[in-house]
Amino acid sequence: SSLQSLEVLRQRRAGRMVHPVHGSLTQLPFSDDSFDAVLCANVLQNVEGTDRRQRCVRELARVCRPGGRVVVTVHHHSRPRRRAGWRKEGPSGGHSGPIGYIYRFLPDEFRDLLASELAVRRLTGCGFPLPY
């Protein structure tokens, strides 16, 4: 769970300038314009529902200072994955552990989601599988 992950972080980074915070991406526990940079790594694809994903992006934009940078990574529903029969949306399956839902984005829809709240400078991707 995310609480277990935070505990591991606390133990490994004891005494360093790391302050783990548990919260919801749809309602981040930070004031407006709190950060110069915001990273959301492989989370949005596990948020079910277009409206909830939109709220998450709104929150990322809210906590980032004007002129700051927001970086978001998600899973891509690439041609090779579509040819291999991977679902665009639904049960995550495979080696995802306790994660029960996944939404794989197409580039245009991901750009549209981000552009509703953020100035999108660039969309890039790698496309290689993670070594589970």
Side-chain angles (χ1 to χ4, degrees):
S1 80
S2 62
L3 289 174
Q4 290 168 326
S5 296
L6 289 176
E7 184 55 35
V8 169
L9 176 63
R10 271 190 207 97
Q11 291 170 6
R12 290 186 180 172
R13 298 294 177 208
R16 297 186 187 159
M17 289 294 296
V18 175
H19 305 283
V21 176
H22 184 259
S24 170
L25 188 53
T26 60
Q27 192 173 2
L28 292 170
F30 304 107
S31 300
D32 295 358
D33 307 331
S34 292
F35 304 100
D36 293 321
V38 176
L39 171 65
C40 180
N42 286 346
V43 176
L44 280 180
Q45 74 262 0
N46 302 117
V47 175
E48 194 166 355
T50 304
D51 292 342
R52 287 189 71 221
R53 287 189 290 271
Q54 184 66 51
R55 280 197 314 253
C56 294
V57 172
R58 191 173 305 123
E59 282 294 283
L60 296 172
R62 180 185 68 77
V63 300
C64 190
R65 291 184 182 126
R69 180 168 292 191
V70 178
V71 175
V72 182
T73 65
V74 295
H75 286 217
H76 176 206
H77 198 224
S78 63
R79 276 192 199 115
R81 287 181 178 167
R82 290 192 302 266
R83 278 189 228 123
W86 290 34
R87 294 181 189 181
K88 181 170 178 22
E89 178 178 18
S92 58
H95 303 286
S96 299
I99 297 170
Y101 171 83
I102 193 160
Y103 185 90
R104 294 178 177 95
F105 288 86
L106 295 173
D108 288 343
E109 70 182 334
F110 184 53
R111 179 185 303 277
D112 290 347
L113 173 65
L114 297 176
S116 66
E117 300 291 334
L118 301 163
V120 178
R121 291 189 184 161
R122 169 173 58 171
L123 210 62
T124 61
C126 296
F128 53 86
L130 295 174
Y132 288 111

